[in-house]
Amino acid sequence: GVRAHKALLKQPLAIGDHVNTVVDADRRNAIRRNHTGTHLLHAALRQVLGTHVKQAGSAVHPDRLRFDFSHFAQVADEELEEIESIVNREVLADAKVDTLEDVPIDVAVNEYHAMALFGEKYGDKVRVVKLSDGFSTELCGGTHTSATGEIGLIKIMAEESVSSGVRRLEAISGMGSLKIFRDDFAVAQVAAQVAGTPTGSLSDGLRARLAAQEDEMKKLRRELDEMRMKSAAGGLDEAMSGAVDVKGVKLVTLRADGLER
């Protein structure tokens, strides 16, 4: 754990010392899920948006993933939904993830049709990661799940521009998706209480409730304006009785607050 690691740092280390190295399994597995998720997203993006899509960067953390890719426009909501559907169908298929070690580079590219990252330098032997029997085949040296089903639900959280011609997706998987589901469910329960028990879906009920509130607000604004006008007009008689003679001209002054021009 972190405490043991800090304690170890206080002790001097020397060449020849024996140490035990332990992987944080929960953290590593979460990273695996998100890493394999980026491969699925890459393949799905190319299916939906086109084969011009190329990886322009990525980051895999225990709690989220980030995938940057080349594309010329904002990804529409309908396209994001289709991408989500494709990757989650692959997750539900629980297909095997094959990791092939020491593959000759020409075999990887020409026979397996593995995608190589632009700007990366590869040796004569490479590592190939294949998902879902060819759904995605990439040159990759990272850690992955043994099957797509281990990823859990992949949920895209954001899509934005990084620079000219480069877009960015942020997504979550595994237990992170469960947390978002719980949070959204709690919000939906509050929304249902606000909407009451309308017929139809929750979204229709909320729209009807908000439309009714907007109509009520407009009505109240009109009534307030009418009251202000009546109040101002009501003070006119009193003002007339207090008219001041200025060089033969009767001058009436009246202050009225809270009126539109």
Side-chain angles (χ1 to χ4, degrees):
V2 175
R3 188 177 300 172
H5 179 62
K6 289 181 177 178
L8 179 62
L9 290 177
K10 295 178 182 178
Q11 302 175 17
L13 288 175
I15 296 174
D17 284 354
H18 289 273
V19 296
N20 292 326
T21 57
V22 180
V23 172
D24 184 336
D26 290 340
R27 182 177 185 275
R28 176 63 58 85
N29 288 332
I31 290 172
R32 283 191 178 120
R33 286 191 286 269
N34 284 330
H35 193 177
T36 307
T38 62
H39 283 226
L40 289 178
L41 281 169
H42 191 184
L45 282 162
R46 288 170 62 83
Q47 275 192 27
V48 175
L49 303 181
T51 54
H52 64 278
V53 168
K54 298 287 190 301
Q55 181 174 338
S58 70
V60 285
H61 303 280
D63 58 334
R64 70 189 185 283
L65 67 87
R66 190 196 78 214
F67 189 78
D68 298 346
F69 58 98
S70 54
H71 188 51
F72 44 80
Q74 180 179 358
V75 184
D77 289 342
E78 296 79 7
E79 292 171 322
L80 290 174
E81 285 186 6
E82 186 177 357
I83 291 163
E84 273 188 344
S85 296
I86 290 171
V87 296
N88 284 296
R89 276 197 293 268
E90 294 301 322
V91 168
L92 290 173
D94 195 24
K96 184 180 179 183
V97 177
D98 289 312
T99 302
L100 310 177
E101 306 279 356
D102 296 326
V103 179
I105 184 70
D106 57 334
V107 172
V109 174
N110 298 322
E111 293 185 23
Y112 294 134
H113 304 292
M115 290 186 61
L117 296 184
F118 179 76
E120 288 283 340
K121 292 183 179 180
Y122 298 97
D124 296 333
K125 298 289 184 69
V126 293
R127 186 169 180 263
V128 178
V129 176
K130 292 177 63 179
L131 308 181
S132 304
D133 194 26
F135 174 80
S136 165
T137 306
E138 296 192 39
L139 302 183
C140 182
T143 185
H144 286 274
T145 61
S146 58
T148 57
E150 297 173 20
I151 298 173
L153 179 74
I154 296 176
K155 181 75 185 82
I156 296 172
M157 301 300 293
E159 190 274 343
E160 61 186 1
S161 172
V162 177
S163 59
S164 179
V166 178
R167 309 293 300 183
R168 171 171 292 173
L169 282 186
E170 291 192 359
I172 55 175
S173 66
M175 296 302 289
S177 297
L178 177 61
K179 181 181 183 303
I180 290 297
F181 173 77
R182 284 173 173 161
D183 290 346
D184 289 349
F185 185 73
V187 171
Q189 286 184 309
V190 173
Q193 292 174 356
V194 171
T197 53
T199 58
S201 68
L202 173 60
S203 59
D204 291 340
L206 278 174
R207 289 191 188 96
R209 179 64 181 267
L210 291 173
Q213 288 182 340
E214 181 63 24
D215 290 342
E216 182 68 16
M217 289 289 289
K218 288 178 180 177
K219 178 185 174 184
L220 290 172
R221 289 191 193 103
R222 286 194 299 269
E223 290 179 355
L224 181 59
D225 288 342
E226 290 173 2
M227 290 178 63
R228 284 170 174 168
M229 290 296 291
K230 288 179 181 178
S231 176
L236 187 58
D237 292 338
E238 183 179 349
M240 290 286 286
S241 64
V244 180
D245 190 291
V246 180
K247 295 182 180 178
V249 176
K250 294 218 172 203
L251 174 65
V252 177
T253 58
L254 172 65
R255 172 171 174 160
D257 295 317
L259 296 177
E260 297 293 335
R261 289 186 182 182

